[in-house]
Amino acid sequence: MTTRGTATIVGVADEVSATGVIDVPLRELEARVITAALADAGLSLRDVDGLCTCTGGTLMHSVELAEYLGIAPRFTDATQTGGASYGLYVEHAAAAIAAGEAETVVIVYASTPRAARKRGEKGLGIFATPERLEWETPFGVMLPISAYALAANRHMAIYGTTPEQLARIAVDTRRWAALNERAHLREVITVRDVLDSGFLAEPLHRLECCLVTDGAAALVVTSAERARDLAKPPAFVLGAASAASHAMISQMPDLTVTPGAVSGPAAFRAAGLTPADIDVVELYDSFTITVLLALEDLGFCSKGEGGPFVADGALGPGGTLPGQTSGGGIAYTHPGAFGAFLLVEATRQLRGECGERQVPEAKTAVAHGTGGVLSATSTVILGTEATP
């Protein structure tokens, strides 16, 4: 099914906190951010006939949330692929809209790990699966960071990537955060600061790792025809694709190649574009190595060339490929999955709404989510025109 330009993102919203804590019930937070995204589009809950979410930790979260909101959507999706879920929802929503199965779909993510910790609640141990407990945990694998450290070590061993090159990703991300008054961490840092921050899992330093904060994000996807009558300029969904290759890090076929090597080219083919056509990228930055692998697998540079590509500030303000422009999961917010926030920021960039951090004349954007331990990816290509 060809869906290029038939679906658009017409409303976005996110809620973050300077302290990192949003101590409200999860349902209330979800409802607040959904209401804000709909208002951004000039719509209301009465217009919604599709709902996608998987963050409640219950068996039928999308249906339970719909009931809480007082709606009865004809299209729901609760597929769980971690941080890649939200791009996958855009892909599925675009297909549902093209097929006439829905007209207006809300995608939402909310999580409050900091508030839960403050209340003394213990997490469910999402990585404590029977397989991992038998085959990985006894060998000292601390998830998720150990998995990403393995990938970083392998990339360094095979391609000569240096700690300084990885650190530069964190430095440039923080440069964007310094321009975002809503970012959790805004102090500019240096490569030396990153290298002196201590290892959490060698070779990854503390300042190369994502935050743990509370937060929520929502977006509204509707048809291009409906978008003509709404409040904000639409971001057209030009291409979207998803892929997965493994669950446990010990089963990853190649520690230097993510499923983005499949989802990225597929999304670009669907969009009829190449990496050279992209103005801004929003790449999942759970760790610096996540960004570097995504750049290579999406085709912005060749495999093994990610280190030199980022070394001179390509991703930072004024760089050749502005990326993680909100401050990313490393400095803006990271409530446990960041994929929905990537889509929110990409849409705002295409609308020209980002103030000091606005990328000049941004007309195309990539939002690329990663879930699990480099396990699953979703790549969404957005544009200001239906046929760029």
Side-chain angles (χ1 to χ4, degrees), residues 19-89:
T19 66
V21 177
I22 306 174
D23 197 359
V24 300
L26 183 67
R27 287 280 189 267
E28 179 182 338
L29 184 57
E30 289 172 321
R32 285 195 329 210
V33 77
I34 288 171
T35 301
L38 287 167
D40 185 57
L43 296 168
S44 71
L45 282 170
R46 292 188 300 273
D47 299 296
V48 176
D49 61 357
L51 181 63
C52 303
T53 185
C54 62
T55 56
T58 56
L59 182 62
M60 297 177 64
H61 181 61
S62 61
V63 178
E64 291 161 351
L65 177 58
E67 184 176 72
Y68 177 84
L69 296 170
I71 61 175
R74 57 192 176 118
F75 171 77
T76 64
D77 195 344
T79 307
Q80 170 63 281
T81 57
S85 302
Y86 307 93
L88 180 145
Y89 292 153

Side-chain angles (χ1 to χ4, degrees), residues 75-378:
F75 171 77
T76 64
D77 195 344
T79 307
Q80 170 63 281
T81 57
S85 302
Y86 307 93
L88 180 145
Y89 292 153
V90 171
E91 180 185 357
H92 290 184
I97 290 166
E101 296 175 0
E103 184 178 43
T104 302
V105 180
V106 167
I107 298 168
V108 64
Y109 171 76
S111 183
T112 56
R114 286 280 290 273
R117 184 185 303 171
K118 185 179 176 182
R119 293 191 297 267
E121 298 174 10
K122 293 185 178 180
L124 298 176
I126 59 172
F127 290 105
T129 62
E131 295 84 2
R132 289 191 176 97
L133 290 173
E134 181 174 3
W135 297 107
E136 292 188 345
T137 305
F139 300 96
V141 176
M142 181 178 68
L143 294 174
I145 190 171
S146 292
Y148 289 83
L150 280 170
N153 273 309
R154 185 63 173 170
H155 204 278
M156 288 176 164
I158 297 297
Y159 299 112
T161 307
T162 68
E164 290 79 8
Q165 290 167 341
L166 285 174
R168 184 58 193 253
I169 295 173
V171 169
D172 287 338
T173 303
R174 192 71 76 88
R175 290 173 64 205
W176 285 114
L179 301 175
N180 186 354
E181 62 183 14
R182 300 174 68 223
H184 186 63
L185 298 177
R186 299 189 64 196
E187 182 181 356
V188 174
I189 57 176
T190 66
V191 168
R192 188 73 261 159
D193 291 331
V194 177
L195 300 182
D196 288 345
S197 66
F199 292 120
L200 289 188
E202 193 173 358
L204 296 177
H205 302 83
R206 181 177 63 85
L207 292 180
E208 293 181 77
C209 304
C210 66
L211 301 166
V212 178
T213 65
D214 301 338
L219 50 147
V220 182
V221 183
T222 193
S223 65
E225 182 178 359
R226 182 74 188 279
R228 296 192 190 108
D229 300 323
L230 299 182
K232 296 287 185 71
F236 291 89
V237 180
L238 304 180
S242 304
S245 63
H246 62 283
M248 297 192 296
I249 193 63
S250 59
Q251 302 306 304
M252 188 172 180
D254 183 334
L255 285 168
T256 69
V257 180
T258 76
V262 175
S263 67
F268 277 111
R269 284 194 299 272
L273 298 174
T274 71
D277 298 314
I278 300 303
D279 297 321
V280 58
V281 295
E282 308 296 344
L283 308 176
Y284 203 106
D285 60 339
S286 47
F287 305 93
T288 52
I289 186 62
T290 320
V291 172
L292 187 139
L293 293 176
L295 288 168
E296 295 177 347
D297 292 339
L298 295 178
F300 290 102
C301 58
S302 298
K303 180 55 64 178
E305 294 182 2
F309 183 86
V310 303
D312 295 326
L315 297 175
T320 55
L321 185 67
Q324 295 65 263
T325 54
S326 68
I330 286 177
Y332 178 51
T333 192
H334 195 285
F338 194 62
F341 294 89
L342 301 172
L343 291 154
V344 169
E345 177 70 7
T347 300
R348 287 174 173 161
Q349 284 287 342
L350 295 181
R351 290 176 175 177
E353 296 178 341
C354 293
E356 285 190 85
R357 69 181 192 279
Q358 179 63 47
V359 175
E361 299 181 8
K363 298 186 183 308
T364 55
V366 166
H368 179 72
T370 303
V373 288
L374 299 169
S375 307
T377 58
S378 61

